[in-house]
Amino acid sequence: MVAKTRKQTGKSPATQADRDRSPLVSPPGKSTVRRPGREGKAFSSSHPNGLSGIGHKLGLTPSAVARLGVTLLLAALTGYLHWHHLSQLFENDRHFSHLSNLEKEMAFRTEMGLYYSYYKTIIEAPSFLDGLHMVMNDRLTEYPLVINTLKRFNLYPEVVLASWYRMYTGVMGYFGIPTKMCWSINRGEGLTPVDSCEGMGDPAYFYVTCVFLLNGAMMSLFFIYGAYLSGSRLGGIVTTMCFFFNHGESTRVMWTPPLRESFAYPFLVLQMLLLTYILRTRNPSRTAMVALGVSNLCFMLPWQFAQFVLLTQVASLFASYILGYLAAAKMQSILVTHMITLGICFILMFGNSMLLTSFYASSLVSIWAIIALRDRFAQVFKPGIITWVMQGLAWVGSTVLLKFMLSTVLCASDDAHISGLIKSKFTSYKDFHTLMYTCAAEFDFIELETPVRYLKTLLLPINMLVVALIAWRTLQDIVRFLRDGGKTDDVDEAAGSEIVGKGELVYHSLQLVAFAVLAVLIMRLKLFLTPHMCIMASLICSKQLFGWIGERFKHQIGVFAVMAIMAVQGVANLQAQWAIIGEFSNLPQEELLTWIQENARPDSVFAGAMPTMASVKLSTGRPIVNHPHYEDAGLRERTKLVYSMYSRMSGETVKRNLMKLGVDFFVLEDSWCTRRTRPGCSMPEIWDIEDHQNIGKIPLCTHMSRNSRPHFTTVFSNDIYKVLKVPKATKDLR
């Protein structure tokens, strides 16, 4: 327990749906889809204010306005509950409110600390523009290089939050309103007391609160998304319940707030909701397409891996187009929106070459070309399976070819490790960089326990049932299409709603399959699969899929019965999360950082394990030569030189490597020398893949942990860390 003493401180309506070129519809005249907005024509010519006024403009009846109000109220409630849930889990895990500023910074480990350091730089700068200039001309992150970190690290979230923080504290300070409460914390065990602050005036508190508020809003979107897709508010409830019951499999924002997906994923939810609206609408407005583009941009800017998710989306849409559920004109409109967004993102990221040389960018171009040449395909191949297969092969071949052509022309190799990672999943290929990924559990194949957890909460069975029904109906349509010889001329306009109803479901099913493939290959990406499974679970409330059950009352009783069974394991999962009680403490690292602040010159250069270097930069402001953001070819080679300390090379060779980088101090961690997540995954074993001539020798780090001489001098050590000083002679040889 800690003692807490207060310390005084200052201050279109959806229109009739889309009709495609394929007869994958039921006979005309059977559509029962209701067109919203018809009732609005009976309104009086008056223009009431408030929600009823909005309803009048949207063409909604008073009862429809009331239903909309209830939906928005429930969405707001679910958003609030998720925000509160995230905040409590984070506080319970770290006792964040009782940590000192240094402890709060240490709690942001690995790349989290790196991202947060730029937020800290901007808020501590004399002005916002000075801070922005500092992060765009950074001299500390990859000494001695000067890099634009805004271009390299997707730091727009930190820029925005830092500007908000400066405005907030400035306005509150102007009016003399206190923004935080500070306390003196007695840590016990002979440790010195520390000061800790709570409130939005505390930089770390402001940062994590904004992240949790954003992800609370995401849950509101999830409710709306589930309700819209299923056509029932009950579907929104099912979606949010599934998310909460599978919370540990759906997100990790409560443990890692500064990670890029914490900022990006909420905008993907918004983007997919808007995409669903566009797919459901026959002629989507320009406003809808602009909104799709903006949400696309907000998803891409914060996260370097957003391109891979959007690649799966474009692929799923293209498959829907091939099967005839998506019109060529609409598909091209969506592609144009993606292209424009990609171009704007490329400009805002100061010409980051990874965007143009991505499979996503190449896929957009190749799909556009295939659609433009669709008449040629129709002339060469008979409509049917052969045409579908040839279009698919043309897409894969042209995408891969164009991607590698662009990479060669632009001399871009920053994403080469991704190709190596994918290659290692299907072959025995491995090298230093791929093992740095695959030896981490989150980049390994999905664990077998994950499907079991899905099974216990009924998430997996529900999704299998929903996808099976959609697949069966799609198969029936394909058989009917092939039986009719691919004729499409006699498709009646009244059948358009059937196409759209099936088309959006086909897209969501294909997207689910794509996310499942990603999750199986890389466990970390189950954070896309699980939420989408929650969205798909809302379809148990869909009349379109489950109208065969009978009257509405029976259907709802069945849904409530399913939710009751889900709750048995779901509540147990929530209770397990609520039972996590901890308190952050890392005294060895605190001793290390304190020693650096008190004993190392401000321009002393440090090297070491990537996670530790992020903390050194964040809390001491000293230059470092390597860091956890591994998506740069030059940085990967720098890290490889630094990590030669954990190889079996000679001390002289490693000293020369550090000399090349201009390092003054190396932070040695014994755990990195001995840690082994599985056979072949200790650092010396990873080095053995490429350093064959030294296999069998004792790792250098083992020698250094016993005696660092004659190559280095130990200037600090505790139970975890040892700081080795690079001799002056090597300093002169830079």
Side-chain angles (χ1 to χ4, degrees):
M1 297 295 291
V2 294
K4 192 173 184 180
T5 307
R6 180 170 177 177
K7 184 176 180 180
Q8 294 296 325
T9 61
K11 356 222 170 196
S12 108
T15 59
Q16 187 182 10
D18 200 0
R19 181 169 66 90
D20 281 286
R21 54 192 176 82
S22 169
L24 305 185
V25 295
S26 298
K30 301 252 178 134
S31 173
T32 58
V33 174
R34 186 176 178 184
R35 298 185 186 180
R38 293 291 185 184
E39 302 91 334
K41 294 188 177 180
F43 279 18
S44 65
S45 59
S46 61
H47 296 279
N49 296 320
L51 195 59
S52 60
I54 297 175
H56 179 271
K57 292 180 179 180
L58 295 176
L60 301 177
T61 62
S63 61
V65 171
R67 289 195 297 271
L68 176 62
V70 172
T71 300
L72 296 178
L73 182 62
L74 290 173
L77 177 61
T78 58
Y80 169 78
L81 290 175
H82 194 230
W83 165 77
H84 181 74
H85 182 63
L86 295 174
S87 301
Q88 285 301 115
L89 290 178
F90 184 72
E91 173 65 20
N92 291 347
D93 180 57
R94 288 172 170 78
H95 213 181
F96 199 71
S97 60
H98 286 62
L99 300 181
S100 66
N101 288 336
L102 178 58
E103 289 173 320
K104 288 176 180 176
E105 291 177 354
M106 289 192 299
F108 297 139
R109 284 187 51 76
T110 66
E111 57 186 302
M112 294 188 289
L114 182 69
Y115 299 136
Y116 183 83
S117 69
Y118 302 109
Y119 165 78
K120 179 182 177 181
T121 296
I122 297 175
I123 63 174
E124 292 183 350
S127 69
F128 172 75
L129 291 180
D130 288 336
L132 189 61
H133 181 268
M134 290 169 69
V135 300
M136 292 176 66
N137 298 272
D138 180 87
R139 300 173 183 272
L140 302 179
T141 306
E142 293 181 9
Y143 179 88
L145 303 178
V146 177
I147 62 173
N148 182 351
T149 58
L150 191 57
K151 171 184 177 180
R152 283 276 301 279
F153 304 145
N154 300 80
L155 295 178
Y156 276 98
E158 281 66 31
V159 172
V160 172
L161 290 184
S163 66
W164 289 356
Y165 177 82
R166 295 184 71 108
M167 287 188 290
Y168 172 76
T169 53
V171 171
M172 294 296 104
Y174 178 81
F175 289 104
I177 302 174
T179 58
K180 61 182 178 181
M181 188 71 69
C182 294
W183 314 82
S184 179
I185 305 296
N186 179 12
R187 298 189 290 175
E189 301 178 4
L191 299 174
T192 57
V194 295
D195 293 339
S196 178
C197 297
E198 293 179 78
M200 295 294 281
D202 179 71
Y205 191 95
F206 182 93
Y207 187 96
V208 298
T209 298
C210 288
V211 174
F212 294 152
L213 285 172
L214 176 62
N215 283 267
M218 180 203 71
M219 185 54 66
S220 297
L221 285 175
F222 256 107
F223 178 87
I224 296 172
Y225 194 171
Y228 183 71
L229 183 64
S230 64
S232 166
R233 283 191 297 273
L234 189 57
I237 294 173
V238 169
T239 295
T240 52
M241 285 185 64
C242 285
F243 195 99
F244 275 105
F245 290 163
N246 298 274
H247 199 267
E249 308 295 322
S250 300
T251 183
R252 56 177 181 168
V253 65
M254 59 282 191
W255 316 130
T256 56
L259 288 187
R260 302 299 83 188
E261 61 259 38
S262 300
F263 296 98
Y265 187 72
F267 292 103
L268 176 64
V269 177
L270 175 61
Q271 191 258 16
M272 293 182 69
L273 174 59
L274 291 169
L275 181 61
T276 303
Y277 167 79
I278 290 169
L279 293 177
R280 185 176 290 187
T281 307
R282 182 181 180 188
N283 295 308
S285 64
R286 180 174 297 180
T287 302
M289 302 307 294
V290 170
L292 179 69
V294 171
S295 59
N296 240 6
L297 184 64
C298 291
F299 174 53
M300 293 180 66
L301 277 179
W303 199 26
Q304 68 272 23
F305 291 134
Q307 52 176 290
F308 298 102
V309 178
L310 293 177
L311 172 63
T312 67
Q313 182 180 97
V314 171
S316 300
L317 289 169
F318 183 53
S320 300
Y321 159 78
I322 289 177
L323 293 175
Y325 288 105
L326 184 56
K330 184 182 290 186
M331 182 69 194
Q332 287 179 316
S333 297
I334 294 173
L335 287 174
V336 168
T337 303
H338 276 270
M339 289 176 179
I340 293 174
T341 300
L342 180 63
I344 296 174
C345 188
F346 178 75
I347 294 171
L348 293 178
M349 291 298 293
F350 303 92
N352 191 320
S353 61
M354 277 188 67
L355 293 172
L356 290 189
T357 59
S358 65
F359 283 105
Y360 166 59
S362 300
S363 183
L364 292 176
V365 176
S366 61
I367 292 176
W368 174 271
I370 291 170
I371 295 177
L373 296 173
R374 62 187 181 277
D375 292 336
R376 294 288 183 88
F377 276 95
Q379 292 173 2
V380 176
F381 303 105
K382 182 180 178 181
I385 294 178
I386 299 298
T387 302
W388 300 341
V389 171
M390 294 308 299
Q391 286 178 315
L393 291 176
W395 167 65
V396 173
S398 59
T399 296
V400 173
L401 180 63
L402 184 58
K403 184 261 186 295
F404 286 107
M405 285 178 57
L406 288 172
S407 297
T408 302
V409 171
L410 298 177
C411 300
S413 59
D414 289 343
D415 61 350
H417 63 303
I418 300 298
S419 300
L421 179 60
I422 297 172
K423 185 178 177 182
S424 71
K425 294 293 182 178
F426 299 100
T427 67
S428 59
Y429 174 81
K430 54 186 174 182
D431 60 20
F432 182 88
H433 299 303
T434 58
L435 286 174
M436 289 294 292
Y437 276 101
T438 57
C439 283
E442 60 266 31
F443 285 96
D444 200 359
F445 290 101
I446 195 169
E447 56 188 0
L448 295 177
E449 291 81 0
T450 298
V452 174
R453 288 191 282 265
Y454 292 154
L455 192 62
K456 290 181 178 179
T457 58
L458 296 188
L459 187 61
L460 183 58
I462 291 173
N463 272 262
M464 291 178 66
L465 175 61
V466 168
V467 172
L469 286 174
I470 296 173
W472 173 248
R473 294 191 176 190
T474 304
L475 184 61
Q476 288 179 319
D477 291 337
I478 292 174
V479 170
R480 185 185 307 117
F481 172 69
L482 296 176
R483 186 185 60 210
D484 295 340
K487 296 179 181 178
T488 61
D489 296 336
D490 58 346
V491 178
D492 192 90
E493 192 73 26
S497 58
E498 281 288 330
I499 290 179
V500 145
K502 292 180 180 180
E504 66 183 70
L505 298 183
V506 169
Y507 158 70
H508 280 87
S509 298
L510 292 170
Q511 185 69 76
L512 179 67
V513 172
F515 283 156
V517 171
L518 291 180
V520 168
L521 294 176
I522 300 176
M523 186 181 69
R524 178 179 178 178
L525 299 182
K526 70 180 180 181
L527 301 178
F528 291 103
L529 171 63
T530 312
H532 198 68
M533 291 175 74
C534 297
I535 289 292
M536 294 295 288
S538 70
L539 291 173
I540 64 171
C541 303
S542 170
K543 292 181 181 178
Q544 185 180 1
L545 284 181
F546 292 90
W548 49 269
I549 291 179
E551 59 187 47
R552 180 181 177 186
F553 179 73
K554 288 182 179 179
H555 188 183
Q556 292 181 340
I557 289 295
V559 172
F560 280 113
V562 170
M563 287 195 292
I565 299 173
M566 290 168 52
V568 175
Q569 183 62 41
V571 171
N573 291 345
L574 287 173
Q575 290 175 336
Q577 281 194 321
W578 296 332
I580 297 174
I581 303 295
E583 184 169 356
F584 179 84
S585 179
N586 191 343
L587 292 178
Q589 189 175 89
E590 185 175 339
E591 292 173 357
L592 169 69
L593 298 175
T594 301
W595 181 88
I596 293 174
Q597 288 175 320
E598 295 176 352
N599 296 277
R601 300 189 316 272
D603 61 347
S604 296
V605 182
F606 283 79
M610 292 184 286
T612 305
M613 288 303 97
S615 295
V616 168
K617 180 191 179 301
L618 168 60
S619 300
T620 71
R622 266 50 174 192
I624 58 177
V625 299
N626 64 311
H627 53 77
H629 199 277
Y630 215 55
E631 281 68 52
D632 177 77
L635 187 276
R636 290 195 293 274
E637 293 309 311
R638 283 170 155 259
T639 299
K640 192 173 180 180
L641 288 176
V642 170
Y643 279 20
S644 62
M645 179 66 77
Y646 300 103
S647 71
R648 306 180 197 274
M649 298 177 187
S650 67
E652 186 64 31
T653 301
V654 173
K655 185 172 70 171
R656 236 181 273 120
N657 288 341
L658 297 178
M659 171 197 68
K660 293 177 184 176
L661 297 173
V663 175
D664 292 309
F665 297 98
F666 185 94
V667 181
L668 178 69
E669 300 175 53
D670 288 341
S671 61
W672 278 74
C673 195
T674 58
R675 183 174 57 194
R676 190 187 195 207
T677 55
R678 66 172 186 270
C681 278
S682 68
M683 282 305 305
E685 289 174 318
I686 291 176
W687 264 108
D688 288 344
I689 298 297
E690 300 195 5
D691 185 25
H692 301 289
Q693 63 184 14
N694 290 310
I695 293 177
K697 295 181 180 180
I698 298 176
L700 177 63
C701 51
T702 301
H703 291 300
M704 292 297 104
S705 63
R706 298 169 184 165
N707 183 6
S708 60
R709 292 188 179 275
H711 305 290
F712 306 98
T713 303
T714 302
V715 293
F716 169 85
S717 67
N718 59 23
D719 294 338
I720 303 296
Y721 302 98
K722 179 179 285 189
V723 178
L724 308 180
K725 181 175 175 58
V726 179
K728 288 289 184 181
T730 55
K731 182 80 171 181
D732 297 335
L733 293 173
R734 286 183 184 177

